[in-house]
Amino acid sequence: MRVYVPATWPMLRTLVKTGRLDPIGGTAFALTPALREAYTSGDDEELEYAAMNEAARASLRLLSVEFGLGEEGTPARRVVVAADLDVTLRPDLDDGAVRIAGSVPFEVIASVHIDTEEAEYAVRQAAGAVDAADMGDLDAEFLIGEAEDHDLAWYDPSEVAFLVDRP
């Protein structure tokens, strides 16, 4: 199953060093039966995109934690790693949530999706507002929307080492 793993820039650096990505809490997102049921229309490609967007929002949550811990040097860019894995469904969480057992080896990564530099301001603002948005704050939800207006750029896994090596 194609899964979308929320990540951050430091997680990509670790992937390059170790050849493995360790999803926080084993959580990822995919086109699950519950996600398919939640939408009244849409083909598989559109629903996969919805799963990737859920992972991108989860990446904002990870960035919020990193910034809260003083990791100000972390680029304010959402990161989503797409991989092909066996998973366990998580009906106790969001419709598209799945659990991954263990690390994601580099060999099963299909692509990596990252915000461009132009999105950094909006992403930093959204990371600071994600908790409030989850609690229904409409102003915070607006900031999340500003970040989500930026499309994630697609990268081949072979390009990740060059990306994280940039300043």
Side-chain angles (χ1 to χ4, degrees):
M1 173 180 271
R2 175 66 46 96
V3 299
Y4 300 93
V5 182
T8 63
W9 204 262
M11 292 171 72
L12 284 182
R13 284 191 179 118
T14 300
L15 170 64
V16 168
K17 287 179 188 172
T18 66
R20 305 185 82 69
L21 178 71
D22 292 311
I24 304 298
T27 300
F29 298 86
L31 174 48
T32 64
L35 183 65
R36 184 180 304 280
E37 195 173 295
Y39 284 83
T40 57
S41 66
D43 61 17
D44 283 357
E45 186 175 327
E46 291 169 318
L47 297 175
E48 291 269 350
Y49 186 73
M52 186 173 75
N53 282 337
E54 286 190 35
R57 185 173 281 221
S59 177
L60 279 177
R61 291 182 185 97
L62 296 176
L63 283 169
S64 173
V65 170
E66 287 187 4
F67 296 151
L69 294 174
E71 298 293 331
E72 292 300 320
T74 297
R77 297 185 187 188
R78 297 169 297 161
V79 176
V80 176
V81 176
D84 296 311
L85 297 165
D86 292 326
V87 298
T88 303
L89 298 179
R90 292 289 311 268
D92 57 318
L93 294 177
D94 292 337
D95 291 332
V98 295
R99 179 169 307 286
I100 297 172
S103 298
V104 178
F106 190 83
E107 302 79 45
V108 302
I109 295 175
S111 58
V112 178
H113 307 266
I114 305 171
D115 275 310
T116 61
E117 187 175 335
E118 291 78 28
E120 284 193 16
Y121 178 79
V123 169
R124 185 170 297 279
Q125 297 302 308
V130 71
D131 288 338
D134 287 345
M135 299 303 291
D137 183 316
L138 295 179
D139 291 332
E141 189 61 45
F142 176 79
L143 292 174
I144 302 297
E146 290 285 311
E148 289 175 345
D149 284 345
H150 294 273
D151 289 327
L152 299 175
W154 180 95
Y155 294 95
D156 186 87
S158 64
E159 297 175 288
V160 173
F162 300 106
L163 287 170
V164 299
D165 201 27
R166 294 183 193 169

